[in-house]
Structure formats: structure tokens, C-alpha cells
Amino acid sequence: MKRIGLFGGTFDPPHYGHLLMAEHAYQQMDLDEVWFIPSFKPPHKEEANTTAKDRVEMTRIAIQDHPAFSVNTIEVDREDKSYTVHTIKLLQKQYPDFQFYFIIGGDMVEYLPNWYRINELMKLVPFIGVKRPGYTLDTIYKVEEVEMPLIEISSTMIRDRLQSGESIRYLTSPEVIAMINKYQLYS
């Protein structure tokens, strides 16, 4: 049975923090693959700053050199708010022989009590929580912990730096930076 890590998010833009989280979950949980699942409309935050198409393409570019990483557009294809419980049910129906794990950062572990139909979701899929600076993994829900080096990069930080005319070099891949610059995505 294939072990697939699912990593959902806005990825607006994707950055090295996302890639490190996915890599450490991939290695420490002995996953066969990690599927990045960009949301169309994130249910827990404001609208994205770029189109879903741009975020899917940036994510593809960011992970292109990892043979076990891929992008799954299941949530973007629905063109509406996506709740994880619906995504998991659909993936389990499409891939009944796969064991899925849902990868989240420490910030999301603390937010789990607010997730849509969380109790049902916890019965459907094991969660992998990746430690992040400033967050604990204290929760009433069962979450497998994954360690990673402390790195404080966020999509918000990158967007803020771009708005201020500051460099984002070494925060995300050169290919993602090239796409951002080419299409002036955060101008």
C-alpha cells in the first residue's frame, strides 16, 4: 500500500519552508510520495493574492526537482471553498489502495479545533504535525510529530517584502522568483 502525504495550502507563494516541511515529513514518516494540494479558496483565511492557476504553476515549479513530490489539483478543480474532509473522502474513493496522511504546520495544529467536521476528519486520515517556531503541537487530537530545522519563512513575509521592494532571494526557488517577476504577481 502506497503511503501518500497530502500537503494542502494556499501556496501564495510556495517557499523553502513549505519544501522543508514536506521533505521532513516525507523522510521521517517513510512516505512514498507527497502531493501538494493548492486550495482554490482557502476556508480559514482571506482570498489568495494570486489566481489558483498561478499558485498551481508556482508550486509545480517549486517542487520540480523532487521525484516524489507532485501537485494534485483536486481542490482547484472544484472552483470553490475546499474543506479537507471533502478532499480526503474524494481521494480515498479515487485511490482506495493508498494510505493517506495529512501534513500540517504547527500553526494549523493549534487551529484544528476550528476545522470543519474535525472529528470526522480525524477518523478518516492520520495527521502529521511539523513543528514551527512559536507554535506548540499541544492538541486534544492525535497528531504524529515531525521535527525540522527552525526556519521562519512565510508566504505573508514574502508578499510583504515584495510590496516593500525587498529581495526574496533564498526564501523561495529562483524559478518561482522568475515567475513572480515575469508576471508581476504581487505588484
Side-chain angles (χ1 to χ4, degrees), residues 29-173:
M29 296 300 295
D30 196 29
L31 301 173
D32 295 302
E33 298 175 22
V34 174
W35 298 355
F36 287 70
I37 304 177
S39 60
F40 184 75
K41 288 183 183 177
H44 61 278
K45 49 171 93 163
E46 293 179 27
E47 290 285 322
N49 292 275
T50 54
T51 67
K53 180 182 173 188
D54 287 335
R55 291 182 290 105
V56 166
E57 186 58 26
M58 282 190 288
T59 305
R60 279 195 176 113
I61 289 169
I63 65 171
Q64 68 186 347
D65 66 342
H66 198 302
F69 288 3
S70 62
V71 172
N72 183 304
T73 59
I74 188 171
E75 292 190 355
V76 170
D77 296 342
R78 284 202 299 255
E79 296 186 348
D80 199 4
K81 273 192 179 179
S82 291
Y83 293 98
T84 304
V85 67
H86 299 142
T87 300
I88 296 299
K89 284 182 172 186
L90 188 54
L91 287 172
Q92 287 175 337
K93 186 176 180 181
Q94 290 175 347
Y95 304 95
D97 296 331
F98 288 12
Q99 172 61 57
F100 292 107
Y101 298 83
F102 203 79
I103 302 166
I104 58 175
D107 56 333
M108 284 291 108
V109 171
E110 292 182 2
Y111 193 76
L112 280 175
N114 302 308
W115 281 36
Y116 179 71
R117 293 167 50 184
I118 186 61
N119 293 326
E120 179 182 359
L121 181 59
M122 294 305 290
K123 293 175 186 169
L124 292 173
V125 65
F127 273 69
I128 299 171
V130 181
K131 291 187 177 178
R132 287 184 62 179
Y135 297 96
T136 64
L137 296 185
D138 290 335
T139 181
I140 61 170
Y141 300 103
K142 184 175 180 347
V143 176
E144 297 284 335
E145 289 187 22
V146 166
E147 298 281 342
M148 75 172 244
L150 295 181
I151 183 167
E152 291 195 54
I153 300 174
S154 70
S155 297
T156 301
M157 174 209 300
I158 291 172
R159 291 191 306 270
D160 290 348
R161 290 179 68 88
L162 287 166
Q163 290 296 315
S164 300
E166 298 175 63
S167 170
I168 60 168
R169 184 181 297 130
Y170 306 124
L171 299 177
T172 188
S173 72

